C-alpha cells in the first residue's frame, strides 16, 4: 500500500493550499515575505506530505475568520477616515523597513528627497498592496519579495520607472502589488530580494522539514541525492517534472541566493 503522504498532489490541492495561505496573511499570521515563500513552495510541492508541512502551523479553512475563506483578495476599507498611510520626503528621507502592518492603501511622495518602502517583513492585511507614488525630482524605492506580481501604471515626464523583480509565471495566485506612479524628473524603482540588501530570516521549522521531504522525494525519483544548489534556468525559474502538468514551478534562483546568504 502506498504511503498516504507520498501521494502526488493535484493542481486543485495546490490552489487550495495557496488560498489557505492568502487567508492566513489577511488575518495577520504571515508577512508578505513568508506568504510569497510559502506560495512558491505550495506551487512546487509534489506530494501531500509537502503541502501538509507548508500549512502545518496555520488554522484550517474551517477555523479561519468568518468571511475570509475563499473571499476575493481586495483592499480593505480605510480606517478612521484615512484613505492611505502616507510617507512624505521633501528635501529629506522617509524610510519604512522591518516589521510593520499594512491595513490600508499606501502613499509615497518624494520632492527632491527619497522614500523607501520595504514590504518584505510587513503584515499585509489588505489582500492587495495598493500604492500611489509621486516623485518630483526625487526617488521612490519599493522593495518586495521576488515572486510577487507587480502591476504598475501612471505618468512619467523626464523621469524613469524601473521594475527589477523576479515575478511568478502568469496565472498563479501570488501576492499582488499594484502601483500608480506619477514621476516628474525623478525615479521610481521596484526591486526584489535579488537586487536588495538581504534581510535575516529565521529558519522556520516548516521550511527545514519541507526541504528534507523534498530531498528524499527527489532522491527516490532520480536514484541520487539532489545537489545542494539546484540549477536554475537563465530566467531564475526551474520547472519541476511532475504528472500534474505545467503548474508546478520553483523560484530556485531566489531560494539558492537566500540559502547562500544565511
Amino acid at each position: 500500500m502506498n504511503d498516504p503522504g507520498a501521494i502526488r498532489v493535484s493542481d486543485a490541492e495546490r490552489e487550495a493550499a495557496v488560498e489557505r495561505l492568502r487567508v492566513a496573511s489577511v488575518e495577520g499570521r504571515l508577512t508578505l515575505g513568508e506568504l510569497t515563500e510559502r506560495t512558491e513552495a505550495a506551487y512546487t510541492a509534489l506530494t501531500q506530505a509537502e503541502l501538509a508541512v507548508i500549512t502545518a502551523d496555520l488554522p484550517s479553512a474551517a477555523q479561519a475568520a468568518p468571511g475570509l475563506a475563499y473571499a476575493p483578495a481586495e483592499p480593505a476599507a480605510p480606517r478612521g477616515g484615512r484613505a492611505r498611510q502616507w510617507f512624505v520626503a521633501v528635501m529629506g528621507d522617509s524610510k519604512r523597513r522591518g516589521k510593520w502592518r499594512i491595513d490600508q492603501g499606501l502613499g509615497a511622495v518624494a520632492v527632491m528627497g527619497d522614500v523607501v518602502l520595504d514590504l518584505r517583513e510587513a503584515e499585509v492585511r489588505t489582500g492587495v498592496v495598493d500604492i500611489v507614488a509621486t516623485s518630483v525630482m526625487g526617488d521612490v524605492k519599493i522593495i518586495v519579495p521576488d515572486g510577487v506580481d507587480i502591476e504598475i501604471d501612471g505618468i512619467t515626464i523626464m523621469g524613469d520607472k524601473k521594475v527589477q523583480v523576479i515575478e511568478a509565471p502568469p496565472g498563479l495566485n501570488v501576492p499582488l502589488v499594484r502601483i500608480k506612479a506619477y514621476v516628474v524628473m525623478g525615479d521610481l524603482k521596484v526591486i526584489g530580494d535579488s537586487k536588495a540588501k538581504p534581510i535575516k530570516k529565521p529558519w522556520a521549522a516548516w521550511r527545514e522539514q519541507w526541504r528534507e521531504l523534498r530531498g528524499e522525494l527527489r532522491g527516490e525519483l532520480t536514484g541520487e541525492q539532489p545537489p545542494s544548489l539546484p540549477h536554475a534556468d537563465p530566467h531564475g525559474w526551474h520547472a519541476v517534472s511532475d504528472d500534474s502538468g505545467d503548474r508546478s514551478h520553483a523560484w530556485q534562483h531566489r531560494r539558492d541566493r537566500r540559502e547562500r546568504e544565511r
Side-chain angles (χ1 to χ4, degrees), residues 20-40:
R20 189 170 164 189
L21 294 171
R22 186 195 65 79
V23 171
S25 173
V26 174
E27 292 177 328
R29 303 179 193 274
L30 300 173
T31 66
L32 183 61
E34 290 171 330
L35 172 61
T36 305
E37 182 178 37
R38 295 198 191 199
T39 298
E40 167 191 334

Side-chain angles (χ1 to χ4, degrees), residues 36-42 44 54 146 166 203 206-207 210-211 214 218 228-230 236 249-262:
T36 305
E37 182 178 37
R38 295 198 191 199
T39 298
E40 167 191 334
T44 63
I54 295 166
D146 283 315
I166 301 173
W203 185 260
W206 78 266
R207 192 184 301 119
W210 188 86
R211 283 171 57 87
R214 193 80 167 154
R218 288 184 180 178
S228 56
L229 293 177
H249 297 270
W251 288 258
Q252 292 291 2
H253 173 78
R254 179 164 59 93
R255 176 167 299 170
D256 296 345
R257 179 186 174 89
R258 288 201 304 264
E259 297 308 318
R260 291 194 296 270
E261 290 169 347
R262 280 196 177 94

Side-chain angles (χ1 to χ4, degrees), residues 58-244:
L58 301 175
S60 65
Q63 296 172 314
L68 282 179
Y70 306 106
E74 292 297 331
R79 301 186 309 160
R82 295 191 306 161
R84 294 186 182 276
Q85 180 180 4
W86 288 94
F87 300 87
V88 180
V90 179
M91 300 182 68
D93 298 323
S94 177
K95 299 180 181 181
R96 192 65 173 91
R97 302 178 185 272
K99 301 282 188 180
W100 56 302
R101 177 171 171 169
I102 300 175
D103 53 9
Q104 60 195 100
L106 302 179
V109 178
V111 180
M112 300 179 67
D114 298 292
V115 175
V116 177
L117 301 180
D118 191 337
L119 308 183
R120 291 175 291 177
E121 296 183 277
E123 290 185 3
V124 179
R125 305 294 185 93
T126 57
V128 175
V129 182
D130 181 67
I131 303 174
V132 172
T134 301
S135 174
V136 181
M137 300 178 67
D139 296 304
V140 175
K141 179 187 291 185
I142 301 170
I143 306 173
V144 301
D146 283 315
V148 302
D149 271 348
I150 303 295
E151 287 184 4
I152 184 169
D153 62 7
I155 300 172
T156 302
I157 301 174
M158 298 179 67
D160 292 303
K161 289 187 293 187
K162 298 179 181 178
V163 178
Q164 296 176 303
V165 179
I166 301 173
E167 296 187 59
L172 302 186
N173 185 18
V174 298
L176 172 64
V177 178
R178 182 183 295 143
I179 304 168
K180 183 173 286 292
Y182 303 94
V183 180
V184 180
M185 299 177 67
D187 294 292
L188 170 70
K189 299 177 183 178
V190 185
I191 63 176
D193 277 331
S194 57
K195 299 295 183 179
K197 181 179 179 180
I199 56 176
K200 292 184 178 180
K201 303 175 185 177
W203 185 260
W206 78 266
R207 192 184 301 119
E208 184 174 4
Q209 187 178 355
W210 188 86
R211 283 171 57 87
E212 289 176 357
L213 285 169
R214 193 80 167 154
E216 290 173 2
L217 178 60
R218 288 184 180 178
E220 292 173 1
L221 292 177
T222 64
E224 301 176 356
Q225 291 299 318
S228 56
L229 293 177
H231 173 72
D233 67 24
H235 302 289
W237 297 88
H238 174 77
V240 177
S241 178
D242 179 25
D243 294 338
S244 63

